[in-house]
């Protein structure tokens, strides 16, 4: 899954982006074999992805806004 945020311009995930991410997560769980856990790249690799603002949302449970 992909959410495009940068270090300038769009840096904070807005409600539309978060709703779209949750829609995609729910779809993958219903129609695929996605598990219950949501993680950011930094959970497995030495990177700052997905950025602090979006990662705070992931850590908080990736709930709808």
């Amino acid at each position: 899954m992909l959410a495009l945020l940068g270090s300038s311009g769009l840096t904070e995930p807005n409600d539309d982006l978060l709703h779209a991410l949750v829609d995609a997560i729910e779809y993958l769980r219903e129609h695929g074999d996605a598990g219950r856990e949501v993680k950011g790249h930094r959970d497995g690799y030495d990177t700052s992805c997905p950025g602090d603002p979006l990662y705070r949302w992931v850590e908080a449970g990736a709930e709808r806004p």
Side-chain angles (χ1 to χ4, degrees):
M1 181 162 343
L2 175 67
L4 297 176
L5 296 174
S7 57
S8 64
L10 181 60
T11 59
E12 294 283 335
N14 60 34
D15 286 354
D16 289 339
L17 176 69
L18 297 178
H19 280 293
L21 288 172
V22 174
D23 288 346
I25 291 166
E26 289 174 351
Y27 180 88
L28 292 171
R29 286 178 177 156
E30 184 176 332
H31 299 285
D33 59 357
R36 302 301 311 158
E37 197 169 35
V38 176
K39 292 194 167 254
H41 263 150
R42 66 176 70 181
D43 291 316
Y45 302 96
D46 185 21
T47 179
S48 61
C49 184
D52 292 336
L54 187 56
Y55 193 63
R56 282 191 293 275
W57 175 78
V58 169
E59 288 184 301
E63 300 291 331
R64 287 199 185 271

